[in-house]
Amino acid sequence: LIKNRYCYFLTWMGEFDKASTLAKEAMSIDPVDYNSYTILYLVNLFSDSVETARMYMNELNTAVGRHIRQVTWEIELSFSEGNFKKINQLCDSLVKSGNELNALELSYNAMAYYAQNQLEKSNECLRRLQDSRNRNLSNPFYFSSRAYAFRNEPDSVFANLNKSDKKREINFIRLK
């Protein structure tokens, strides 16, 4: 556990090689601890090794079972691969299974629809994201700004980042 906590710090600091080595050591000690898989997934995703990130996600699914976090990871991987249709399908499956999309998932869904020239559906996702600010979603302004950046709408990006800063949203604080 201590090694994995240090690995999160190393990942945060961009020391991907060190984090990867230490996470693999921790994994050899406790092969079913999800933290090692999470770190290796993140390190590889941030290093543009999407296939290796997918491998660690699949290994985690095998070790501890699939849960909602892995669906979000699958959405992130699909975005990295440019598989926008799959993002929409994953978001639809979450909704159909009774889960409400979080701000991150709504922003990915909006970006995916936009990439497929489905502007009306993209706008609907952004409306839901913006309306959801009243429902206590985590970091709605930050994730709205990401979607607007993808759409190349700088005025909306900066307006939402300004709101994110004023609300002290944790994702924006970490970005700084």
Side-chain angles (χ1 to χ4, degrees):
L1 183 60
I2 291 170
K3 285 185 180 191
N4 280 323
R5 286 186 180 168
Y6 185 55
C7 286
Y8 281 113
F9 172 74
L10 289 171
T11 303
W12 181 253
M13 298 305 294
E15 296 287 343
F16 299 142
D17 291 336
K18 290 179 185 176
S20 181
T21 301
L22 201 54
K24 287 176 184 175
E25 286 178 28
M27 186 182 285
S28 70
I29 295 167
D30 186 358
V32 294
D33 180 21
Y34 73 91
N35 288 297
S36 298
Y37 295 96
T38 300
I39 292 159
L40 291 167
Y41 163 82
L42 291 171
V43 162
N44 284 285
L45 182 66
F46 297 154
S47 301
D48 291 327
S49 300
V50 176
E51 287 304 314
T52 307
R54 183 177 302 286
M55 179 194 73
Y56 283 113
M57 181 188 72
N58 291 335
E59 285 184 16
L60 178 61
N61 290 342
T62 301
V64 298
R66 187 171 172 91
H67 54 80
I68 290 177
R69 174 193 257 173
Q70 272 82 28
V71 175
T72 301
W73 288 5
E74 186 67 35
I75 290 169
E76 290 172 335
L77 288 171
S78 297
F79 187 81
S80 294
E81 296 169 330
N83 191 347
F84 301 115
K85 188 172 185 169
K86 185 168 185 176
I87 293 168
N88 300 135
Q89 292 169 343
L90 288 165
C91 289
D92 288 345
S93 71
L94 281 172
V95 171
K96 287 178 185 174
S97 65
N99 296 294
E100 189 170 330
L101 297 180
N102 64 33
L104 174 65
E105 294 156 349
L106 279 169
S107 70
Y108 274 123
N109 210 15
M111 292 184 286
Y113 279 125
Y114 186 82
Q116 298 171 79
N117 295 316
Q118 296 182 37
L119 189 57
E120 189 174 309
K121 287 184 177 183
S122 178
N123 289 341
E124 176 58 30
C125 289
L126 281 170
R127 273 192 293 278
R128 286 179 49 209
L129 179 59
Q130 292 164 350
D131 291 344
S132 68
R133 293 178 184 153
N134 299 324
R135 295 193 313 259
N136 297 324
L137 279 185
S138 181
N139 303 293
F141 297 111
Y142 174 79
F143 289 118
S144 292
S145 68
R146 286 181 55 178
Y148 284 118
F150 186 79
R151 293 168 60 134
N152 196 25
E153 297 180 20
D155 291 341
S156 296
V157 171
F158 290 115
N160 279 280
L161 286 176
N162 187 42
K163 291 175 186 176
S164 180
D165 184 42
K166 287 181 181 177
K167 295 282 185 180
R168 309 286 301 153
E169 290 181 344
I170 192 66
N171 282 58
F172 185 68
I173 292 169
R174 289 179 182 156
L175 179 66
K176 290 182 183 182

